[in-house]
Amino acid sequence: MLIINQQNDKDPKRTLILAGGGMRVAYQAGVMKALEEEKLVFSHADGASGGIFNAAMLATGHSVNKIINKWKSLNFNHFTSLISLKEYFTPWKLRALGDADGIRDKILPHFEVSASKIKELNLPVTFSVCNFTKKTVDTISTDQLEENHLLAGVSLPILMPALKIKNDWFIDAVWIKDANLMEAVKRGAEDIWLIWGIGNYPAYLPGSLNQYVHSIEMSANGALFEEFEQIKWINKLIELGNSPFGQTRPIQVFIVKPKLPLPLDPELFLKKITARSLINMGYQDTKNYLREKPEYGDSLDFRATQTKNSGDYLCLPMKFSGKLEIKDKKHQVDLYIFLRKTIVNEVESIEAFSSIYIKAIDQEIIGGLTKVTVYGKGSSETLIEIETNVNYEEKAHLLKAELRCSSPWNWLMGLAFKSVDVKIYSSHVAPDSIFMEGKLYQSFITRIKAVGLSLAKKKNGSNGGIGFKFGMIKNILQNEV
């Protein structure tokens, strides 16, 4: 379990803050997996906005692996629930564009979440919800929780209606705050781990959807920065020996976030990105963060949550299947790769987020620290080599995958990336022997679908068409990275 009631007295008291981010909070499941492997123990967790889903699953007693599987098997279309047709003909009376029925009837049952189970376990998890009647953020403990708190906690104005609980109306807290750090401080937390997926985009993008998201970013980040200032003042009091909430040393905040902004919710509906890819991103981002973790926490200013501009980018989803040989026995496996090419201010980079499912152990292993190298500039065929660390049976291994493509035309016609050569070495440091190897294949239908489902964005935030995708593929094949 990631969340438990007791910590070793020698450890700092830790809180896990699950901020919002819509359906993109599947990313948090990958982060939690990496934190679990780091053996970090938390005495409390709080969820706000979309983070409420993960907080609720933790409060229900789900393991991190179960949370990951729940996100992977979720039908994201179930988030959409329309109100009665006749209501759309009177827009001046419209409560919202949709309602909470889909989440109530399909999402929460899929997550196996119920208020009664959460009350029964009474784990140290809280839920931050906007009390619209009082214009405050209420922190709901497990013994106070009602199902409508969970629904209201993800009810964005315009998209979903407020819900009444007793005498007060409740709605998503994002417009006041999207991460309740002060609840952790009041509970005596000395280390606060914040998973931030809402974004803090440097450039102001055109388009109504981008600007709606920007308004959320402004509210969420503005409130977070105010809490940063409160923590700085409390830290001064702690140093003076006047700790108001019992901390014995200054409070440190560690923030795990994506390097580039996460794709928006519509991309999940359109299957341009999957929960699996988001989870793999979260896991890899956390592994990178832990490698370079600041000793005394992140700087408490606007840079703490800011991402880079996305620039032009193209994401290629791939699924390869087949058998790899392990000690003269062949095992069925699936290899998932999400390749991302970005060009920001003429600086090019290529990344891969991956996981491998091994049927024999019924386990999907996520790739950690990853290196991608492109070879073959000017040759008839380009080789893309992916190296990533994987933990198999609690031992670190190195996975090498080699992809080949001869031209962007081949990719466009579904003729590229037919197969991948895979080798898994027994050591992740100095490969001395091959533990598992073989060739995996991607079906023609999967390759053709991948062309349509490739996620392409221009630096101005607009979608990239076939011509743009063609140019980005050409760029990958003609430039050694």
Side-chain angles (χ1 to χ4, degrees):
M1 288 290 294
L2 187 68
I3 306 298
I4 61 173
N5 287 292
Q6 299 294 327
Q7 286 186 221
N8 189 316
D9 291 339
K10 295 179 181 179
D11 291 334
K13 195 172 184 181
R14 294 191 191 94
T15 283
L16 179 65
I17 300 292
L18 300 160
M23 299 181 297
R24 298 171 293 167
V25 295
Y27 174 89
Q28 294 176 348
V31 176
M32 290 191 288
K33 180 64 178 174
L35 295 179
E36 183 180 62
E37 290 180 356
E38 193 70 8
K39 303 192 184 305
L40 290 178
V41 177
F42 297 89
S43 60
H44 165 241
D46 182 85
S49 193
I52 276 179
F53 291 121
N54 289 319
M57 283 191 273
L58 287 171
T60 306
H62 293 354
S63 67
V64 174
N65 284 340
K66 185 171 183 178
I67 294 172
I68 286 173
N69 289 333
K70 287 297 178 185
W71 279 111
K72 286 178 183 176
S73 56
L74 178 66
N75 183 344
F76 283 91
N77 292 326
H78 290 162
F79 278 100
T80 305
S81 180
L82 301 179
I83 55 179
S84 63
L85 183 61
K86 65 180 182 181
E87 290 188 67
Y88 291 108
F89 290 100
T90 54
W92 57 91
K93 296 181 182 179
L94 210 59
R95 295 173 298 135
L97 295 175
D99 59 31
D101 290 352
I103 297 175
R104 187 194 309 274
D105 299 335
K106 295 178 180 177
I107 300 295
L108 294 185
H110 174 82
F111 285 151
E112 295 183 38
V113 162
S114 70
S116 60
K117 179 67 173 176
I118 290 172
K119 284 182 177 180
E120 177 189 333
L121 290 177
N122 197 27
L123 293 172
V125 180
T126 53
F127 306 88
S128 294
V129 186
C130 173
N131 184 321
F132 176 80
T133 301
K134 298 175 181 176
K135 307 300 185 291
T136 59
V137 171
D138 288 3
T139 303
I140 311 300
S141 59
T142 54
D143 59 336
Q144 301 170 320
L145 187 72
E146 297 184 22
E147 185 180 73
N148 272 1
H149 285 122
L150 300 176
L151 301 173
V154 292
S155 294
L156 276 173
I158 301 176
L159 300 180
M160 287 172 62
L163 294 171
K164 197 168 188 180
I165 303 171
K166 296 178 181 177
N167 296 320
D168 292 345
W169 289 92
F170 286 83
I171 201 160
D172 196 313
V174 66
W175 301 110
I176 301 178
K177 62 172 67 176
D178 207 36
N180 195 351
L181 273 64
M182 285 307 298
E183 178 61 26
V185 172
K186 291 172 185 176
R187 288 170 173 260
E190 293 177 329
D191 281 5
I192 299 174
W193 285 76
L194 167 62
I195 309 177
W196 188 261
I198 198 70
N200 178 359
Y201 201 75
Y204 191 78
L205 299 176
S208 56
L209 176 59
N210 286 326
Q211 291 175 17
Y212 183 78
V213 172
H214 286 337
S215 68
I216 291 175
E217 286 182 76
M218 287 185 284
S219 295
N221 282 281
L224 181 67
F225 301 158
E226 286 296 322
E227 293 206 323
F228 284 172
E229 293 305 313
Q230 292 179 62
I231 291 172
K232 288 178 186 177
W233 278 107
I234 292 168
N235 280 342
K236 289 181 180 179
L237 292 174
I238 294 170
E239 289 175 351
L240 292 171
N242 185 25
S243 178
F245 301 109
Q247 284 88 350
T248 59
R249 65 156 175 79
I251 299 159
Q252 299 177 158
V253 182
F254 300 92
I255 302 173
V256 181
K257 65 180 182 185
K259 183 172 66 176
L260 298 175
L262 296 175
L264 300 178
D265 285 355
E267 310 298 355
L268 280 159
F269 283 122
L270 296 171
K271 297 181 172 58
K272 298 279 188 175
I273 190 168
T274 63
R276 172 179 279 104
S277 296
L278 288 170
I279 290 164
N280 293 351
M281 283 183 188
Y283 182 85
Q284 187 178 135
D285 287 344
T286 309
K287 289 293 187 181
N288 281 309
Y289 179 82
L290 291 169
R291 182 176 58 172
E292 302 173 354
K293 179 173 71 76
E295 185 177 358
Y296 300 109
D298 286 287
S299 299
L300 300 183
D301 56 36
F302 76 94
R303 293 168 296 180
T305 59
Q306 194 166 68
T307 61
K308 296 180 180 179
N309 283 327
S310 292
D312 292 334
Y313 72 87
L314 174 68
C315 299
L316 304 176
M318 306 178 200
K319 179 187 176 182
F320 299 91
S321 300
K323 293 185 178 182
L324 296 183
E325 190 170 309
I326 311 174
K327 297 177 181 177
D328 299 325
K329 289 185 67 177
K330 291 190 175 181
H331 292 275
Q332 185 68 37
V333 302
D334 295 320
L335 177 64
Y336 300 90
I337 296 174
F338 192 72
L339 202 66
R340 181 170 70 187
K341 169 72 176 186
T342 58
I343 305 175
V344 183
N345 298 326
E346 299 184 355
V347 177
E348 301 182 16
S349 64
I350 186 165
E351 302 161 283
F353 307 92
S354 60
S355 58
I356 184 167
Y357 172 75
I358 302 175
K359 187 176 181 181
I361 58 173
D362 191 25
Q363 185 180 351
E364 188 167 341
I365 304 165
I366 307 174
L369 302 176
T370 302
K371 175 186 175 183
V372 182
T373 310
V374 180
Y375 301 101
K377 180 180 178 181
S379 64
S380 60
E381 187 174 61
T382 300
L383 169 67
I384 302 174
E385 181 184 79
I386 300 168
E387 297 179 309
T388 186
N389 294 334
V390 292
N391 288 317
Y392 178 75
E393 295 183 339
E394 299 185 357
K395 184 179 177 183
H397 298 268
L398 177 69
L399 184 152
K400 280 192 176 183
E402 293 183 348
L403 301 163
R404 289 175 172 80
C405 182
S406 57
S407 76
W409 289 108
N410 276 18
W411 173 79
L412 193 62
M413 295 184 290
L415 301 177
F417 307 126
K418 293 180 182 180
S419 64
V420 59
D421 294 305
V422 178
K423 292 180 181 179
I424 301 180
Y425 295 85
S426 58
S427 169
H428 72 291
V429 180
D432 52 0
S433 63
I434 295 174
F435 169 70
M436 186 186 305
E437 68 176 326
K439 187 183 288 286
L440 306 177
Y441 299 90
Q442 189 172 204
S443 71
F444 177 71
I445 293 175
T446 302
R447 298 195 303 270
I448 285 293
K449 282 184 178 179
V451 173
L453 295 176
S454 55
L455 175 58
K457 290 284 183 180
K458 299 179 181 179
K459 60 185 177 183
N460 64 2
S462 63
N463 292 320
I466 286 294
F468 176 83
K469 294 178 182 180
F470 186 91
M472 289 294 285
I473 289 287
K474 186 177 181 180
N475 181 280
I476 292 173
L477 303 182
Q478 291 183 349
N479 292 274
E480 292 186 347
V481 180

